[in-house]
């Protein structure tokens, strides 16, 4: 039986993640005992203010998606706290968590696999309404049609099946499904990475318009720095299970402190054929989360590595107002 949820005072940020850890067991041998752990998320902390978009960026496999799914308890955390609406979600029972589900939604990365091919689009969007609000069929249909129009689709689309739509249209349907219950917080898990570049801006603009209209708060996960810059208010940079830098968008792009952030910035294309940017080329591959490096996890690939980097882990400190980083260059 779950421990009774704690309650914080009214000064808490809209959502606060404290020391979040998620390890996956690796089993082996005849008896399938745990022989190691994949350290997917290791001691991650951040806050998100109401109406804000926090962009979470990093290379594939760094733990971004795991953070988002663990916050929503689609994956159970190994340890840590997730405070939302003055309640620690980690301590909620299944019944209590179900009551919170309507306020916490997710937009999945793959618009092809996130929709049930046996259900019409209207049924997919209305499923949450049927489970949580117990509205009659007529009221549900009115909300479904309203949500479809909010994302640029029409009423007749509700009677069609997912295979009849393009990737961009399916992602719009996924967005409509996420906002149908009028949630407060949405995890957008790389919602445009599977779409053509020409469609990405349309979907991003829909998300921004919906945020302004409904007062939504986003955790926006991506690996594309240009997309993150376009939609985020603040940005957290993640590497091998840890956040290495976090700052307001303008501060981060004007003056990145961490060498990993600088490397990501140097890879952003410049829309000027005559302009040149000094590329930071990282050596080697990302280490395995099964056996992460000691000290700073970035030190095997860091162009500014020092002796201390391999032995001691740097603290995550505020180096300027609202600009945090974990690097021995700034300690």
């Amino acid at each position: 039986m779950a421990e009774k949820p704690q309650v914080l005072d009214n000064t808490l940020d809209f959502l606060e993640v404290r020391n979040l850890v998620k390890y996956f067991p690796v089993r082996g041998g005849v008896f399938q005992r745990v022989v190691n752990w994949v350290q997917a998320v290791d001691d991650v902390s951040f806050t998100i203010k109401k109406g804000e978009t926090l962009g979470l960026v990093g290379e594939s496999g760094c733990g971004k998606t795991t953070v988002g799914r663990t916050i929503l308890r689609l994956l159970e955390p190994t340890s840590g706290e997730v405070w939302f609406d003055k309640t620690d979600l980690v301590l909620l029972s299944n019944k209590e968590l179900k009551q919170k589900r309507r306020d916490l939604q997710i937009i999945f990365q793959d618009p092809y696999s996130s929709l049930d091919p046996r259900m019409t689009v209207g049924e997919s969007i209305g499923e949450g309404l049927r489970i949580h609000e117990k509205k009659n069929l007529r009221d549900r249909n009115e909300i479904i049609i309203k949500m479809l129009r909010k994302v640029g689709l029409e009423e007749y689309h509700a009677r069609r099946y997912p295979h009849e739509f393009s990737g961009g249209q399916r992602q719009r349907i996924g967005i409509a499904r996420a906002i149908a219950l009028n949630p407060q917080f949405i995890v957008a898990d790389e919602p445009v990475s599977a779409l053509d570049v020409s469609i990405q801006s349309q979907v991003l603009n829909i998300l921004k318009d919906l945020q302004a209209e409904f007062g939504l708060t986003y955790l926006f996960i991506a690996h594309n720095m240009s997309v993150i810059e376009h939609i985020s208010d603040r940005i957290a940079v993640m590497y091998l299970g840890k956040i290495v830098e976090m700052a307001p968008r303008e501060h981060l792009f004007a003056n990145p402190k961490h060498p990993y952030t600088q490397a990501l910035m140097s890879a952003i294309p410049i829309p000027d054929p005559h302009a040149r940017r000094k590329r930071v080329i990282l050596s080697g591959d990302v280490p395995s989360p099964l056996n992460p490096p000691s000290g700073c996890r970035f030190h095997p690939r860091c162009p500014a590595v020092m002796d201390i980097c391999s032995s001691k882990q740097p603290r995550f400190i505020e180096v300027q107002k609202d600009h945090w980083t974990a690097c021995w260059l700034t300690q």
Side-chain angles (χ1 to χ4, degrees):
M1 182 175 180
E3 183 180 342
K4 186 176 180 181
Q6 304 176 47
V7 177
L8 288 186
D9 59 45
N10 293 324
T11 63
L12 180 72
D13 285 287
F14 180 72
L15 184 134
E16 182 172 355
V17 177
R18 297 179 180 176
N19 310 114
L20 188 66
V21 174
K22 177 59 181 176
Y23 289 178
F24 294 95
V26 177
R27 300 182 184 275
V30 176
F31 298 103
Q32 291 295 293
R33 294 193 176 99
V34 175
V35 296
N36 207 339
W37 295 90
V38 176
Q39 301 178 31
V41 177
D42 192 8
D43 196 22
V44 165
S45 299
F46 58 83
T47 61
I48 307 179
K49 293 180 171 55
K50 188 171 179 61
E52 180 183 44
T53 299
L54 176 67
L56 186 60
V57 65
E59 292 173 283
S60 296
C62 70
K64 308 183 299 296
T65 293
T66 304
V67 168
R69 295 192 178 204
T70 306
I71 287 173
L72 300 181
R73 279 186 60 186
L74 298 178
L75 297 171
E76 289 296 330
T78 303
S79 65
E81 303 172 12
V82 180
W83 291 92
F84 173 78
D85 194 22
K86 297 175 286 186
T87 303
D88 186 1
L89 299 179
V90 174
L91 299 180
L92 294 181
S93 66
N94 290 337
K95 183 178 180 180
E96 292 166 329
L97 183 62
K98 182 179 178 181
Q99 295 174 350
K100 287 286 184 184
R101 287 284 187 210
R102 59 174 300 136
D103 295 326
L104 303 159
Q105 294 293 312
I106 185 170
I107 302 168
F108 293 99
Q109 176 180 359
D110 186 1
Y112 294 92
S113 62
S114 62
L115 296 171
D116 190 331
R118 298 166 298 180
M119 298 174 66
T120 65
V121 163
E123 289 171 337
S124 291
I125 296 173
E127 187 175 23
L129 295 169
R130 179 177 56 80
I131 293 171
H132 289 279
E133 296 199 353
K134 309 299 183 184
K135 292 181 178 292
N136 60 48
L137 183 60
R138 180 177 178 180
D139 290 342
R140 289 203 301 269
N141 286 338
E142 288 179 359
I143 295 174
I144 290 166
I145 293 167
K146 179 182 176 182
M147 294 302 104
L148 284 171
R149 287 175 174 162
K150 290 290 183 186
V151 297
L153 297 175
E154 298 297 333
E155 176 180 349
Y156 65 86
H157 287 132
R159 297 184 293 273
R160 294 185 176 180
Y161 288 86
H163 71 270
E164 300 178 69
F165 295 90
S166 67
Q169 288 175 318
R170 293 187 200 190
Q171 197 59 287
R172 290 172 188 245
I173 294 164
I175 294 170
R177 180 176 60 181
I179 64 172
L181 286 168
N182 194 23
Q184 299 181 50
F185 174 70
I186 293 178
V187 173
D189 182 14
E190 303 207 40
V192 298
S193 65
L195 307 180
D196 293 339
V197 174
S198 59
I199 306 299
Q200 288 184 5
S201 60
Q202 298 175 21
V203 174
L204 291 175
N205 289 335
I206 287 173
L207 290 171
K208 294 185 79 170
D209 291 343
L210 292 172
Q211 183 176 38
E213 181 175 353
F214 294 105
L216 297 170
T217 303
Y218 292 141
L219 173 64
F220 192 96
I221 298 168
H223 61 265
N224 186 318
M225 293 297 290
S226 298
V227 168
I228 284 288
E229 182 182 16
H230 178 73
I231 199 167
S232 302
D233 299 304
R234 287 188 303 127
I235 299 170
V237 181
M238 196 167 179
Y239 182 81
L240 202 62
K242 288 185 175 291
I243 291 179
V244 297
E245 187 164 7
M246 183 162 55
R249 175 187 58 200
E250 297 82 2
H251 293 183
L252 192 78
F253 276 83
N255 188 20
K257 300 290 187 183
H258 198 282
Y260 179 61
T261 309
Q262 294 167 5
L264 292 179
M265 297 287 189
S266 75
I268 300 175
I270 302 175
D272 181 352
H274 303 291
R276 292 291 182 269
R277 175 184 283 143
K278 183 180 179 181
R279 285 294 309 273
V280 179
I281 307 297
L282 300 179
S283 60
D285 298 322
V286 180
S288 170
L290 278 168
N291 186 27
S294 59
C296 174
R297 295 191 173 186
F298 185 60
H299 85 262
R301 306 175 71 198
C302 182
V305 64
M306 301 180 291
D307 290 340
I308 194 173
C309 299
S310 61
S311 57
K312 290 188 177 181
Q313 185 173 299
R315 294 176 298 127
F316 193 63
I317 61 172
E318 188 174 25
V319 294
Q320 292 178 350
K321 181 174 173 55
D322 296 329
H323 195 146
W324 297 75
T325 187
C327 181
W328 282 112
L329 295 173
T330 59
Q331 298 288 305

